[in-house]
Amino acid sequence: MTSLCGRCPVLRLALLLGPLSCSPSPERAAPSNETRTTSLPARIYPDTIGATSDDGQWLMPARNYASTRYSGLAEITTENVSRLELAWSFATGVSRGHEAAPLVIGSSMYVVTPFPNILYAFDLTKPGSPPKWTYKPDPAPAAQGVACCDVVNRGAAYSDGVIF
């Protein structure tokens, strides 16, 4: 497994949205001589938009906004794939449909279960990747989103130091 040291800098870019215009209908048009511009800063993290560099982070379900589910890491190859073996496993204790992909941020892996949406954090720097902590929300039973295939959770997401 690749060492995830957390030393790779996260580049932050700012987007500025310029003036937006449209042609209002004549009955709604209000006379105005002023020009309005709106400036909305937004943060873009290269790993979330499919950057070419791959530092091993997995910050959102499907890995990026394009939903590629692809990592460019090259440690596993056609020559060594047959030698892969289970490194560790963990039972969540929830016997419903698990569809959420884990997140990998720095040296931690985060796994969220289907309802009741328990979030587990694992330490990838230690043998067996022991749990660091567990967050157990107390959702109301009426909050279960029953979909076609159970009360699944499609996954957590990460942004700006927070797991959502």
Side-chain angles (χ1 to χ4, degrees):
M1 179 170 205
T2 300
S3 172
L4 300 173
C5 63
R7 291 182 296 191
C8 301
V10 177
L11 301 177
R12 297 179 183 201
L13 304 175
L15 281 181
L16 295 178
L17 297 178
L20 302 174
S21 65
C22 62
S23 300
S25 59
E27 63 273 4
R28 290 194 203 183
S32 175
N33 292 331
E34 64 183 75
T35 302
R36 293 183 184 180
T37 59
T38 303
S39 180
L40 301 173
R43 293 186 180 135
I44 295 179
Y45 297 89
D47 280 334
T48 62
I49 58 173
T52 56
S53 67
D54 197 333
D55 63 359
Q57 307 291 310
W58 201 280
L59 307 178
M60 65 175 57
R63 188 159 192 290
N64 55 30
Y65 289 123
S67 295
T68 62
R69 296 176 175 88
Y70 174 78
S71 171
L73 297 176
E75 203 168 290
I76 299 171
T77 66
T78 55
E79 288 78 32
N80 68 16
V81 70
S82 64
R83 295 188 303 273
L84 291 178
E85 57 185 46
L86 180 66
W88 62 276
S89 66
F90 175 79
T92 65
V94 178
S95 61
R96 307 303 296 254
H98 286 66
E99 292 188 6
L103 302 179
V104 176
I105 298 129
S107 61
S108 297
M109 178 183 285
Y110 301 91
V111 175
V112 65
T113 71
F115 190 86
N117 306 321
I118 300 167
L119 179 66
Y120 295 95
F122 298 96
D123 187 346
L124 298 178
T125 65
K126 297 182 179 170
S129 301
K132 293 167 114 178
W133 51 261
T134 301
Y135 172 69
K136 294 182 179 181
D138 189 23
Q144 294 182 60
V146 181
C148 63
C149 32
D150 209 354
V151 290
V152 298
N153 183 317
R154 296 288 169 88
Y158 169 86
S159 179
D160 225 8
V162 179
I163 302 287
F164 295 91

